[in-house]
Amino acid sequence: MTLDASAFDGRLVLPTDADWEQARVGRVFNGRRPGRQPDAVLVAGSIEDVQRGVRLAKENGWTVAVRSGGHAWAVWSVREGGLLIDLGALTDVGYDEETDVVSAGPATKGGEVLSPYLEARGRFFNGGHCPTVGIGGFLLQGGQGWNQRGWGWAAESVVAVDVVTADGELVHADANENSDLYWAARGAGPAFPGIVVRFHLATRPMFGALAHTVHGYELEDFSEVMTWMYRAHRRIPDNVEIVCVSVPVPVPEGGERRLFLVTGLAFGDDEEHARASLAEFTTSPVIDRAVFVQDAVPSTLAQQREEQLRNNPEHWQYICDNAWIDGEDSAEGIAAVVEGIRPVFTTNPTEHGFAIWMSNAPRRELQDMAFSLHTDAYVAAYTVYEDPADYPRNRDWVNEVFAHAQPVTAGQYLGDSDMTNRQLRFMAPENWARLQEIIAARDPEGRFHRYLAADPERINVNHWEREEAR
Ligand SMILES: Cc1cc2nc3c(=O)[nH]c(=O)nc-3n(C[C@H](O)[C@H](O)[C@H](O)COP(=O)(O)OP(=O)(O)OC[C@H]3O[C@@H](n4cnc5c(N)ncnc54)[C@H](O)[C@@H]3O)c2cc1C
């Protein structure tokens, strides 16, 4: 074993070191920390450190786990045994004016750093909603960024990646060179067979204006409102991000109350265009019963980021799950879908918990890449609490509401998943098969950890299909 700490630009931290706990979980967003103990943590100071770390792991027979922003809800970066390489220092950002491509280190915070950096240059990248999410894990699993409905998955704007391979080599991967790694980097998530040390991202011109519509409805109106939304969302122009949220909000009579919000965020060429794009929202048949209506109010990305931070307090305890919802092709189908997801939105047991429904319609055709499963609507729910003793109750609730939604569930998105609790499909079968070939070729010795799952032999299968086949 060569554990020479001076061999690194950063720091190799061992379990006996005073700052072990900080190195192990200090940068993890979710306050619900796992007990899993790696053998060592390399706080990488440079790309060369990442290469050295992989070689050190090879010498020691260690499996490598990776952390960029530390926001994986199920804390995928902390695994039992092996070496955790923390990429927190890899945050360099550079912009090429000729190609409009921005290159950024994997721990760059999408909203807090990358977005303002590009805004200052009149450019935009459709990164994640919460400002503190690292681009590393976000892009590798697909990336549901601003107006993903209209602009596509953030991973579709990745034009190249620089990767440290299982041998510790640094390679560039794009559509022409190491194209297998480029394909896998857009959707493999935590089973990517390498470490991305830099992303190269296509940017778009900064939009001209933002306008925000928000209707606040009582939870008892959920079914009526949602039924209307299922009929309306395809008609809304694709420059509008459509999200419905169950969340506690300040109400006109004072204090806070959980309401069901219907929101449209229009990215317009100018204020008039943004406002006009939100017209469909005024057709809500229950608008007269709304607790409040905010109609096409001008907004800014900074305001949107602030709201995200308020709704996602760091280091609280989170349990979440999600589902790609399917079956809205007929009136009966819509009724089944609305009933299937109703408890997710109306029964959250935690004061700060929330649930989101996000439109993905009309569904766009995806690029040829690992990410390959989505439907017309996405649902995720989060319990947010401080006392670990509330875990069993909140876990039961999450399991119950998603079991209720099972008849209208097609699969899951890796970004809000926890396969130690529930395993669902997240990739098309042919893409899954291709990914397995790439992993086998690129990482034959299993240098990198794969998906963290209760049943690692049965990944990418909906658990009820597995149970039925038994
Ligand atoms: C508050 C909050 C808001 C969120 N909002 C959104 C959202 O709007 N849209 C969305 O799509 N998702 C969202 N997510 C989910 C988030 O995108 C994922 O949890 C993502 O994995 C986080 O990336 P990270 O780099 O911060 O996480 P990490 O925990 O650092 O990384 C997760 C895993 O990805 C792999 N990985 C990360 N970086 C690399 C790398 N450079 N090379 C190889 N493998 C790597 C590793 O297996 C790692 O363990 C949100 C999460 C939180 C906590």
Side-chain angles (χ1 to χ4, degrees):
M1 290 223 302
T2 339
L3 294 185
D4 177 6
S6 67
F8 298 100
D9 300 322
R11 236 187 113 225
L12 187 69
V13 187
L14 299 175
T16 46
D17 288 328
D19 55 350
W20 172 249
E21 201 52 11
Q22 171 62 25
R24 190 181 75 92
V25 292
R27 286 208 317 112
V28 167
F29 176 88
N30 194 346
R32 195 166 59 81
R33 268 79 190 265
R36 298 184 291 270
Q37 297 287 334
D39 289 309
V41 177
L42 172 60
V43 182
S46 60
I47 292 176
E48 292 73 24
D49 264 3
V50 178
Q51 297 180 267
R52 291 179 193 121
V54 172
R55 291 189 183 124
L56 175 73
K58 197 175 160 93
E59 268 176 57
N60 288 300
W62 283 340
T63 311
V64 174
V66 181
R67 176 185 299 148
S68 284
H71 277 56
W73 299 105
V75 198
W76 294 329
S77 57
V78 180
R79 307 293 287 257
E80 197 56 50
L83 179 68
L84 161 58
I85 303 186
D86 190 315
L87 308 174
L90 302 191
T91 54
D92 57 307
V93 182
Y95 178 69
D96 183 336
E97 287 190 1
E98 273 178 25
T99 58
D100 292 323
V101 166
V102 68
S103 299
T108 306
K109 293 178 178 177
E112 210 168 273
V113 176
L114 187 60
S115 188
Y117 175 91
L118 287 173
E119 234 171 307
R121 289 159 179 78
R123 306 296 296 179
F124 182 70
F125 176 70
N126 54 326
H129 296 83
C130 183
T132 55
V133 173
I135 61 169
F138 169 78
L139 290 170
L140 280 165
Q141 73 207 1
Q144 199 168 40
W146 291 112
N147 194 28
Q148 165 254 314
R149 169 175 182 254
W151 294 331
W153 289 82
E156 294 181 81
S157 296
V158 174
V159 293
V161 280
D162 297 338
V163 177
V164 171
T165 65
D167 291 328
E169 270 177 54
L170 177 64
V171 301
H172 183 78
D174 60 21
N176 304 311
E177 202 182 338
N178 294 303
S179 57
D180 57 334
L181 287 176
Y182 175 60
W183 184 90
R186 293 169 297 147
F192 180 69
I195 302 179
V196 179
V197 290
R198 193 176 288 118
F199 289 88
H200 304 276
L201 310 168
T203 61
R204 62 182 59 245
M206 188 65 194
F207 48 86
L210 264 189
H212 201 197
T213 281
V214 185
H215 299 179
Y217 294 102
E218 300 289 1
L219 296 185
E220 65 206 35
D221 290 326
F222 171 83
S223 297
E224 221 174 317
V225 174
M226 202 69 239
T227 302
W228 157 67
M229 185 40 74
Y230 262 107
R231 294 199 176 114
H233 70 138
R234 276 185 192 75
R235 292 197 291 269
I236 297 171
D238 72 1
N239 59 316
V240 179
E241 174 171 292
I242 312 167
V243 184
C244 299
V245 203
S246 163
V247 69
V249 285
V251 283
E253 70 267 23
E256 281 206 344
R257 199 145 54 82
R258 178 176 295 279
L259 294 180
F260 182 58
L261 307 184
V262 170
T263 78
L265 184 66
F267 296 78
D269 299 335
D270 52 36
E271 277 188 22
E272 184 44 42
H273 176 225
R275 198 173 22 252
S277 307
L278 294 166
E280 185 71 31
F281 286 86
T282 60
T283 67
S284 163
V286 276
I287 202 159
D288 295 343
R289 298 213 295 275
V291 179
F292 68 86
V293 174
Q294 167 189 307
D295 188 23
V297 170
S299 183
T300 63
L301 272 181
Q303 280 171 348
Q304 296 297 321
R305 285 196 286 266
E306 259 172 47
E307 200 171 307
Q308 293 287 332
L309 280 181
R310 219 178 15 255
N311 290 339
N312 295 277
E314 193 158 355
H315 299 329
W316 284 46
Q317 315 255 319
Y318 287 80
I319 305 171
C320 65
D321 205 345
N322 72 94
W324 283 115
I325 300 296
D326 216 0
E328 55 173 289
D329 298 340
S330 61
E332 297 77 42
I334 291 177
V337 161
V338 171
E339 171 48 28
I341 64 176
R342 184 184 46 76
V344 173
F345 292 88
T346 56
T347 61
N348 197 308
T350 57
E351 189 187 340
H352 299 280
F354 56 98
I356 58 170
W357 176 95
M358 186 177 272
S359 170
N360 190 38
R363 213 179 311 174
R364 299 168 55 264
E365 199 171 317
L366 294 170
Q367 289 177 12
D368 181 18
M369 57 182 178
F371 182 91
S372 44
L373 176 69
H374 63 170
T375 64
D376 286 358
Y378 177 71
V379 162
Y382 312 77
T383 57
V384 185
Y385 57 101
E386 286 182 291
D387 184 354
D390 291 339
Y391 173 80
R393 175 185 70 132
N394 294 336
R395 168 59 79 199
D396 285 351
W397 178 80
V398 171
N399 288 347
E400 276 162 26
V401 293
F402 281 97
H404 185 81
Q406 188 175 304
V408 292
T409 298
Q412 70 182 171
Y413 170 48
L414 281 174
D416 288 316
S417 69
D418 179 354
M419 288 191 244
T420 63
N421 182 61
R422 197 167 82 112
Q423 293 179 215
L424 277 78
R425 178 170 295 126
F426 52 88
M427 218 177 259
E430 56 278 19
N431 296 51
W432 176 251
R434 182 169 175 200
L435 177 62
Q436 301 320 300
E437 284 168 17
I438 294 171
I439 290 174
R442 288 288 182 172
D443 185 16
E445 292 175 15
R447 182 65 48 227
F448 299 109
H449 279 290
R450 313 267 191 256
Y451 301 103
L452 178 64
D455 183 355
E457 302 303 315
R458 296 277 192 282
I459 311 271
N460 203 40
V461 181
N462 288 330
H463 62 88
W464 55 91
E465 290 165 18
R466 202 166 75 216
E467 284 148 17
E468 280 159 16
R470 276 202 189 121

